[in-house]
Amino acid sequence: MWRVLNDDFAHWSPRRLAELLGRDLDRLVQLTEGTAGRYRAIRLPKRGGGHRELAVPEPELKALQHDLMVLLDRALEAPPWVLGGRRGRSFVDHAARHQGRSWLLTVDVADFFGRIGPALVAPVLREFGLPEASITLIVALAFRHGALPQGAPSSPLLANLAMAPIDLRLRRLARRRGLAFSRYFDDLAFSGDRDFGELRGPIAALLRQAGLPLAEHKTRYTGRDRPQVVTGLVVNDRLRPTRSFRGELEEELRLLQGGALPRPRLEARVEGRLHHLARFDRREADRLRRRYGRALPSSSSS
C-alpha cells in the first residue's frame, strides 16, 4: 500500500504547493495555459527496431515537473512491488524478485504512458487527501493531450500513482496463489513454483478493465526449461544478460574493430553495454575487452 509520509499533505493548497516548489502561484497558472505547445517531439531508436516518440517539455516546465516529482516522491512512499521510478530501485531489483522460480509470467502494457489520463491519477491523489484545486493544478502542469507525456520528469511517478489500485488488485490475485509480483513501469512480472498459466486471462482482463490493454506479442509464460527473462535479464539461476544481448555486443565490437562509422556514437553504446555486462559477468566483460581492446577508446576495465 502507498503511504502518505507528510502530515501536511492534505493542506497543500495551490498556494502552499507553489511555496513548496519555490515558485510564484501566478506563474504556475500561466504555465498551465497552452501547456500542449510547451513540448518538442524527439524520436529515439528502439533496441528491437523502430522508434520511441518522446515529448520533451521546454526547460522551465521541465524543471518544474522535476521539482514536483521530487516533492511528491518525498511525501508519498510506494509499496515494495513498485520498482520503476523509485530512488534506490532499478530494473535489476525487478528481475531479482523472480530469480530461481519454476514459472514466470511477464506482460507489458501497450502505450503505457499514453493510456494514463487524469481519470486514473486524480482519484488516487484525492484518496490521499490532496485538495481538489491542487489536483487540478498538477493535472494541468503534468498532462498533455489528456495523457502523461513520455519524456516529462513527472510522468513516471504519476504513472505509478495511477497504477496504485490496479497494482493492489494484481498483488492480491498473486498472493492468493503464492506468487511473487512486481512492476517496473509498464513491465509486470509474476512468478511461482507451481503452474499458474490459467491466470493469464484474469490478469489481462483486469488490466483491460482499467483501460490498459496488453502488448500481446510481449506476453511470455515460461518454465525453467527455457530462458526466463525479466527486463532484459535471465533469471533462471543467477542474473545475467540474455544471449541476444551478448551477441549484439560482440557484433558491435566487430564493427568497431572494422572501422565502422559513426564511431563516437558506437563507442559510447559499446562502452555502456560492456559496463552493463560487467555488473553481472565481470569475467566475460574483461574477456571481450582483451579480445577487442584495440578497437575501444580505452582498454581499462569498467
Side-chain angles (χ1 to χ4, degrees):
M1 295 284 289
W2 284 77
R3 289 198 309 132
V4 178
L5 302 177
N6 192 308
D7 294 336
D8 193 42
F9 191 74
H11 302 289
W12 283 9
S13 65
R15 190 164 301 280
R16 176 58 177 156
L17 191 60
E19 290 173 0
L20 291 168
L21 291 168
R23 264 76 168 187
D24 180 77
L25 178 58
D26 291 340
R27 181 55 184 158
L28 293 190
V29 173
Q30 288 174 3
L31 285 173
T32 66
E33 299 169 0
T35 307
R38 299 182 186 273
Y39 292 81
R40 62 185 177 89
I42 65 172
R43 300 177 77 206
L44 295 178
K46 289 184 178 180
R47 184 177 147 196
H51 291 82
R52 175 177 287 105
E53 300 282 347
L54 298 185
V56 180
E58 63 182 21
E60 184 182 8
L61 181 59
K62 183 176 182 179
L64 172 61
Q65 291 172 340
H66 173 270
D67 292 348
L68 175 64
M69 179 270 296
V70 171
L71 184 66
L72 291 174
D73 188 50
R74 290 173 177 168
L76 303 169
E77 182 180 70
W81 54 82
V82 177
L83 295 169
R86 289 183 58 197
R87 287 173 294 169
R89 294 288 182 266
S90 73
F91 70 97
V92 178
D93 299 290
H94 179 50
R97 289 288 182 96
H98 307 282
Q99 186 176 351
R101 297 299 189 103
S102 298
W103 295 93
L104 170 72
L105 171 66
T106 55
V107 300
D108 194 289
V109 176
D111 188 23
F112 181 60
F113 290 101
R115 293 185 183 276
I116 294 180
L120 287 176
V121 176
V124 177
L125 291 173
R126 197 173 293 126
E127 184 178 343
F128 291 162
L130 192 67
E132 198 66 33
S134 294
I135 295 173
T136 300
L137 181 61
I138 288 172
V139 166
L141 291 169
F143 283 79
R144 180 175 186 250
H145 299 317
L148 287 175
Q150 189 172 0
S154 50
S155 290
L157 187 141
L158 292 175
N160 280 339
L161 288 175
M163 290 293 292
I166 304 162
D167 284 343
L168 196 56
R169 290 196 288 274
L170 290 170
R171 174 83 177 357
R172 287 171 178 163
L173 180 63
R175 285 191 70 181
R176 284 199 294 268
R177 291 295 301 272
L179 306 177
F181 163 69
S182 62
R183 181 177 58 79
Y184 185 78
F185 298 119
D186 58 346
D187 188 294
L188 292 78
F190 305 79
S191 63
D193 291 325
R194 294 185 179 180
D195 189 345
F196 61 95
E198 75 280 0
L199 290 186
R200 283 177 287 183
I203 288 169
L206 193 156
L207 288 161
R208 268 197 314 272
Q209 289 167 9
L212 301 169
L214 297 182
E216 297 291 350
H217 65 288
K218 294 184 178 181
T219 297
R220 299 284 185 275
Y221 183 62
T222 50
R224 297 190 71 172
D225 58 330
R226 292 160 54 200
Q228 296 172 315
V229 180
V230 179
T231 48
L233 294 175
V234 178
V235 300
N236 293 62
D237 39 39
R238 62 184 178 84
L239 299 184
R240 63 187 188 278
T242 61
R243 183 177 296 180
S244 63
F245 174 90
R246 294 167 185 250
E248 290 167 8
L249 173 56
E250 282 226 54
E251 177 61 27
E252 289 173 344
L253 283 164
R254 284 192 288 271
L255 288 173
L256 269 183
Q257 196 173 51
L261 296 174
R263 187 177 175 89
R265 180 178 297 179
L266 187 56
E267 283 178 352
R269 180 178 173 85
V270 165
E271 282 292 345
R273 285 184 170 235
L274 282 169
H275 179 75
H276 176 69
L277 177 60
R279 294 179 66 180
F280 307 98
D281 193 338
R282 167 73 67 174
R283 182 178 299 178
E284 176 65 7
D286 288 345
R287 183 190 71 80
L288 291 174
R289 285 186 181 279
R290 286 193 301 271
R291 181 174 180 180
Y292 297 97
R294 291 183 180 181
L296 297 169
S298 170
S299 59
S300 62
S301 212
S302 57

